[in-house]
Amino acid sequence: MESVSRNPKILGGTLVFSGTRVPVRILFEHLEAGDTLAKFLDDFPSVTEQQAIDVLKHSFSRLTNLY
C-alpha cells in the first residue's frame, strides 16, 4: 500500500495519507511549527508512523536530487 493517495472525491483531490482524510501538508505544517513527529502522530492517530516516515524520506530524496 502506498503511504499517500489522491482522489478527487476525498478533500477535492488533496494529497492525503492513504486510508485517512489527513492532508500530507498537515505533517509539514506541524514540523514547521516546531512540533515533533510524535506530536503529529498523537494529533492524527489514523496516520501510521511508517506513513509519515515514508513521506519524509521521499521528500528528502526529491529535494536532494534537485540540487
Side-chain angles (χ1 to χ4, degrees):
M1 179 168 116
E2 294 290 322
S3 294
V4 297
S5 61
R6 185 182 309 247
N7 182 330
K9 295 179 181 179
I10 299 174
L11 298 177
T14 299
L15 190 64
V16 298
F17 288 95
S18 295
T20 77
R21 296 178 60 82
V22 179
V24 170
R25 68 174 169 73
I26 300 296
L27 169 60
F28 292 99
E29 289 174 2
H30 268 64
L31 296 175
E32 183 178 34
D35 293 337
T36 63
L37 179 58
K39 169 74 170 127
F40 168 79
L41 294 170
D42 284 344
D43 288 350
F44 298 95
S46 61
V47 177
T48 68
E49 182 177 23
Q50 191 59 56
Q51 284 176 306
I53 289 171
D54 288 348
V55 164
L56 294 172
K57 284 182 177 180
H58 178 77
S59 298
F60 177 78
S61 176
R62 293 290 302 243
L63 283 171
T64 55
N65 287 325
L66 288 176
Y67 300 100

